[in-house]
C-alpha cells in the first residue's frame, strides 16, 4: 500500500526525510534547511589488463581504476517503514546484494544510513567497486573538503592539484581522496557533510554530489606487490560488508563544521557495551 | 600485564602498512583476524575485573559481543530474563547515545540504575541481514534506547509480564505491560 503513494515522509522533531515513488530518498530537511538530496548506489566495473603497460593496468588492492562510467543499482527500491517512539527506520532493498536502513533518532541532528553490500556477484567475470552517491543542488564549484586522518579539513578541487597542473588521465580515481572521518561540500548558504565509520575513498565528481566507496571485489592483481586479486571470501562466498554513513545538512552561517566534529568523535568513540545477567549481579 | 601485552603485541603487528591499507594477502588478513580476536578476548579479562571493582555487579560477566556490528549477541538473545548493559563512555565528556541490543521478538522493559523506566523501541533486524547464512537463528530484533553516560552506567533489560501500567515518574506508557520487580525497584529509587 505504502509503495503506491507518490511520496513518503518520515520525520521526527529535528529531521524530515522525503522518499519518492521509486523508494529513493530525495529530500532532507534539518537545521532550518531544505535540500533535494537524492541517494543512490552505483558500481564501477574494475579495469582488467595484463599490467604490462600503464594503459593495461588492472584495478586491484593498491589502485582503484574503473573501466567506464558508473552503473546504477536499483531503479526501483522496495522498502518498509518502521516508526518507533524514538527511532524511525526505512528498510530499503536495492537488489539482491545491496540493501540499506535509513534511520533518524529523536533528538539527534543527523541521518544514519546503514548499508549492507555483498556478496558482489562475479559470475560475469567482471570485478566491481560499489559506491553510494548523494546528489544535491548545492553549487560547490568543483570544491570539496576531506579530513586529514580525523584532523583538519583539507580543501580539494576537482581535476586540480595544489602545487602543479595535473595530467588527468583518470577522470574518476584521479579525483578520489582518502576519507577517514568526513567529506563535505558547501555553497554560500548550505553545507552537506558525510561522516563515515571507517576509512574509505571519496570524491565529488560533479557539483553538488558526494560519493564514498563502500565495498570492492576484483578479479585481477594490480601488480603492485600483493600478488593476488582483491577477491575476499568468507563461508565460501564473496564478503558481505555492513557499515554506516551519516549525513548532516546545515546552514553555512551556523558553522556546522563544529557540530560535525563533535558528532564525528561520537561515531568513532561510541560507548563500549558489556553485558551481564542480572541473576548474578548484586 | 600478560593479558594486555597480548593486545599490545597485536596492535604492534597491525601497524604494518598492509594491515592499515588492506593490501595483505587473504590468508594474512585471516591471520590478523585471529591475532586481534585472541588479543581482544585476552584483554577483556582485565576489563571484566576492572568493571567488577567499579560497579556493584561484583559477579557480572561483562561480556563484550564482538559481532554487535552485525546485530549478533547470543548473550542478550538467549540470556537470562534480566540483562544488565554496562556502558563505558570513552569520550572525555558526558554523552547521550542510542544503544542497540540484539534480542528476541518479545516485550521488554528498560530501566536505568535508579530503577526509572527508560523509553525503548523494538525494531526488526533487516531481513537481508537475517538472511546472511552465517547469521541464521540469531537475533531477529534490536532493542533501542537512549543512554546518558558520564563515564560508566548500567541499564537493565527485563522481559515484561502481564500487568497494565503507566510509569508514574516519567509518564511513559508501558504498552499495557509491567513487571512487578521493576515497580519495586522504582519505589526504592524514589527520593525521600
Amino acid at each position: 500500500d505504502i509503495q503506491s503513494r507518490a511520496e513518503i515522509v518520515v520525520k521526527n522533531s529535528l529531521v524530515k526525510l522525503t522518499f519518492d515513488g521509486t523508494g529513493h530518498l530525495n529530500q532532507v530537511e534539518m537545521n532550518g534547511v531544505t535540500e533535494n538530496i537524492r541517494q543512490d548506489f552505483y558500481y564501477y566495473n574494475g579495469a582488467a589488463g595484463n599490467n604490462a603497460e600503464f594503459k593495461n593496468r588492472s584495478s586491484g588492492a593498491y589502485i582503484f581504476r574503473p573501466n567506464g562510467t558508473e552503473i546504477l543499482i536499483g531503479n526501483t527500491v522496495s522498502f518498509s517503514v518502521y516508526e518507533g517512539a524514538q527511532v524511525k527506520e526505512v528498510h530499503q532493498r536495492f537488489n539482491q546484494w545491496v540493501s540499506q536502513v535509513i534511520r533518524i533518532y529523536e533528538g539527534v541532528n543527523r541521518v544514519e544510513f546503514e548499508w549492507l553490500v555483498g556478496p558482489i556477484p562475479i559470475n560475469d567475470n567482471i570485478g566491481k567497486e560499489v559506491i553510494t552517491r548523494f546528489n544535491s543542488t548545492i553549487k560547490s564549484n568543483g570544491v570539496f573538503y576531506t579530513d586529514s586522518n580525523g584532523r583538519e579539513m583539507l580543501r580539494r578541487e576537482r581535476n586540480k592539484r595544489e602545487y602543479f597542473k595535473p595530467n588527468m588521465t583518470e577522470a574518476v580515481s584521479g579525483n578520489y581522496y582518502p576519507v577517514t572521518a568526513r567529506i563535505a561540500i558547501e555553497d554560500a548558504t548550505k553545507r552537506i557533510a558525510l561522516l563515515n565509520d571507517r576509512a574509505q575513498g571519496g570524491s565529488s565528481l560533479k557539483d553538488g554530489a558526494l560519493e564514498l566507496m563502500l565495498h570492492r571485489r576484483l578479479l585481477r592483481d594490480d601488480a603492485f606487490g600483493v600478488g593476488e586479486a582483491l577477491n575476499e571470501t568468507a563461508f565460501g562466498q564473496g564478503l558481505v560488508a555492513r557499515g554506516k554513513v551519516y549525513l548532516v545538512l546545515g546552514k553555512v552561517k551556523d558553522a556546522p563544521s563544529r557540530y560535525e566534529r563533535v558528532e564525528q568523535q561520537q561515531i568513532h568513540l561510541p560507548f563500549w557495551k558489556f553485558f551481564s545477567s542480572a541473576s548474578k549481579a548484586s | 600485564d600478560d593479558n594486555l601485552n597480548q593486545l599490545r603485541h597485536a596492535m604492534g603487528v597491525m601497524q604494518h602498512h598492509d594491515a592499515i591499507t588492506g593490501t595483505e594477502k587473504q590468508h594474512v588478513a585471516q591471520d590478523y583476524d585471529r591475532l586481534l580476536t585472541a588479543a581482544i578476548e585476552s584483554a577483556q579479562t582485565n576489563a571484566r575485573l576492572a568493571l567488577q571493582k567499579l560497579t556493584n555487579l561484583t559477579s557480572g560477566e561483562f561480556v563484550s559481543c564482538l559481532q554487535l556490528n552485525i546485530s549478533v549477541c547470543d548473550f542478550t538473545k538467549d540470556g537470562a530474563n534480566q540483562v544488565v548493559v554496562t556502558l563505558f563512555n570513552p569520550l572525555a565528556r558526558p554523552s547521550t547515545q542510542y544503544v542497540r541490543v540484539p534480542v528476541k521478538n518479545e516485550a521488554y522493559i528498560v530501566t536505568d540504575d535508579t530503577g526509572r523506566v527508560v523509553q525503548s523501541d523494538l525494531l526488526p533486524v533487516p531481513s537481508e541481514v537475517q538472511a546472511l547464512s552465517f547469521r541464521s537463528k540469531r537475533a531477529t530484533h534490536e532493542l533501542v534506547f537512549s543512554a546518558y553516560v558520564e563515564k560508566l552506567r548500567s541499564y537493565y533489560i527485563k522481559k515484561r509480564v502481564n500487568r497494565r501500567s503507566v510509569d508514574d515518574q516519567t509518564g511513559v506508557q508501558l504498552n499495557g505491560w509491567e513487571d512487578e520487580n521493576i515497580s519495586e525497584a522504582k519505589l526504592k529509587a524514589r527520593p525521600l
Side-chain angles (χ1 to χ4, degrees):
Chain A
D1 179 42
I2 217 163
Q3 303 232 5
S4 62
R5 295 182 200 172
E7 208 171 62
I8 307 294
V9 173
V10 178
K11 64 177 180 177
N12 62 22
S13 62
L14 296 174
V15 182
K16 180 179 169 188
L17 308 175
T18 307
F19 295 81
D20 66 16
T22 66
H24 287 87
L25 173 70
N26 73 351
Q27 193 177 74
V28 178
E29 196 178 320
M30 62 192 288
N31 293 317
V33 180
T34 304
E35 177 59 33
N36 293 328
I37 298 176
R38 160 122 182 163
Q39 188 224 4
D40 281 295
F41 288 88
Y42 298 85
Y43 67 86
Y44 294 103
N45 284 327
N50 61 8
N51 303 314
E53 296 171 59
F54 183 78
K55 63 176 183 180
N56 289 329
R57 279 202 177 146
S58 298
S59 200
Y62 295 84
I63 58 166
F64 161 43
R65 189 168 188 232
N67 180 12
T69 51
E70 73 278 15
I71 296 159
L72 179 68
I73 297 172
N75 278 317
T76 305
V77 181
S78 60
F79 67 101
S80 322
V81 181
Y82 297 91
E83 297 210 326
Q86 297 181 100
V87 57
K88 302 196 177 354
E89 297 191 349
V90 180
H91 294 204
Q92 296 174 306
R93 184 187 173 93
F94 289 78
N95 67 10
Q96 281 193 317
W97 46 279
V98 176
S99 60
Q100 178 177 252
V101 179
I102 301 180
R103 277 188 196 108
I104 48 174
Y105 288 104
E106 191 54 54
V108 177
N109 229 337
R110 64 180 189 229
V111 186
E112 179 179 305
F113 299 81
E114 188 169 41
W115 49 268
L116 182 82
V117 179
I120 298 173
I122 49 166
N123 42 13
D124 55 2
N125 250 343
I126 300 172
K128 295 171 189 69
E129 321 203 24
V130 180
I131 61 153
T132 183
R133 185 179 290 166
F134 295 79
N135 279 302
S136 72
T137 60
I138 288 182
K139 296 171 187 68
S140 50
N141 289 323
V143 175
F144 57 107
Y145 300 85
T146 61
D147 70 290
S148 50
N149 225 14
R151 296 173 180 88
E152 69 175 312
M153 296 297 281
L154 299 180
R155 185 181 188 273
R156 315 290 193 183
E157 196 167 348
R158 197 161 55 243
N159 297 325
K160 291 200 176 151
R161 297 291 185 270
E162 200 173 359
Y163 297 116
F164 62 96
K165 195 176 174 191
N167 174 14
M168 295 295 292
T169 54
E170 298 287 343
V172 177
S173 48
N175 284 306
Y176 258 64
Y177 289 90
V179 181
T180 57
R182 204 171 4 149
I183 182 170
I185 49 170
E186 62 184 31
D187 60 17
T189 54
K190 299 173 188 172
R191 175 183 168 97
I192 296 176
L194 298 180
L195 285 60
N196 57 1
D197 63 345
R198 67 196 63 193
Q200 292 169 322
S203 187
S204 171
L205 297 178
K206 287 178 193 158
D207 285 355
L210 281 173
E211 72 181 58
L212 285 170
M213 168 90 54
L214 303 178
H215 190 20
R216 321 170 67 205
R217 191 177 188 192
L218 298 162
L219 304 175
R220 303 288 183 105
D221 174 35
D222 57 14
F224 278 100
V226 67
E228 62 184 39
L230 187 64
N231 181 11
E232 295 171 280
T233 55
F235 303 98
Q237 357 172 15
L239 215 60
V240 182
R242 192 188 195 195
K244 290 178 183 174
V245 172
Y246 301 86
L247 180 143
V248 179
L249 169 70
K251 291 177 188 164
V252 168
K253 73 175 176 61
D254 293 342
S257 190
R258 198 167 28 183
Y259 173 77
E260 291 160 17
R261 185 164 171 77
V262 173
E263 292 296 294
Q264 174 192 317
Q265 287 168 344
Q266 284 200 10
I267 290 163
H268 285 251
L269 289 169
F271 293 158
W272 296 1
K273 302 173 192 79
F274 297 92
F275 302 99
S276 307
S277 52
S279 56
K280 292 192 179 177
S282 58
Chain B
D1 269 357
D2 286 347
N3 293 334
L4 294 180
N5 279 341
Q6 207 174 325
L7 185 55
R8 290 185 183 110
H9 289 163
M11 291 310 295
V13 173
M14 298 307 138
Q15 304 307 304
H16 189 275
H17 60 87
D18 277 350
I20 289 166
T21 57
T23 49
E24 74 281 56
K25 283 182 188 287
Q26 181 68 44
H27 67 266
V28 177
Q30 283 155 359
D31 196 45
Y32 286 166
D33 289 349
R34 183 188 63 80
L35 274 173
L36 265 179
T37 307
I40 290 169
E41 281 171 358
S42 158
Q44 203 172 287
T45 310
N46 296 47
R48 183 181 304 119
L49 292 171
L51 288 167
Q52 282 174 351
K53 283 197 173 179
L54 289 169
T55 65
N56 63 348
L57 308 173
T58 48
S59 57
E61 294 98 328
F62 297 103
V63 173
S64 314
C65 287
L66 299 183
Q67 292 185 313
L68 279 176
N69 64 325
I70 54 167
S71 310
V72 170
C73 180
D74 289 339
F75 189 88
T76 58
K77 191 209 128 202
D78 302 323
N81 279 343
Q82 189 169 348
V83 170
V84 189
V85 186
T86 305
L87 302 169
F88 173 78
N89 175 9
L91 293 165
R93 55 181 162 77
S95 175
T96 301
Q97 294 177 27
Y98 279 90
V99 177
R100 301 183 75 91
V101 180
V103 290
K104 285 181 185 164
N105 184 16
E106 291 178 39
Y108 298 91
I109 189 162
V110 181
T111 52
D112 65 14
D113 49 356
T114 65
R116 191 179 291 249
V117 175
V118 176
Q119 199 169 39
S120 59
D121 286 328
L122 187 72
L123 290 141
V125 171
S127 52
E128 293 79 13
V129 176
Q130 288 191 51
L132 296 172
S133 57
F134 54 88
R135 226 196 140 274
S136 61
K137 294 180 186 165
R138 302 302 178 108
T140 55
H141 285 69
E142 280 183 308
L143 187 66
V144 185
F145 60 92
S146 173
Y148 171 81
V149 182
E150 290 185 350
K151 205 65 210 172
L152 196 67
R153 194 172 188 190
S154 291
Y155 284 82
Y156 296 79
I157 299 172
K158 188 158 191 181
K159 287 178 189 165
R160 281 179 186 166
V161 294
N162 195 353
R163 201 150 70 94
R164 289 182 180 282
S165 180
V166 173
D167 182 277
D168 50 3
Q169 285 186 354
T170 64
V172 172
Q173 283 279 353
L174 299 177
N175 301 324
W177 303 81
E178 196 189 358
D179 185 279
E180 288 176 16
N181 294 335
I182 297 296
S183 309
E184 201 182 320
K186 233 170 39 188
L187 283 169
K188 282 179 191 161
R190 276 186 196 145
L192 297 170

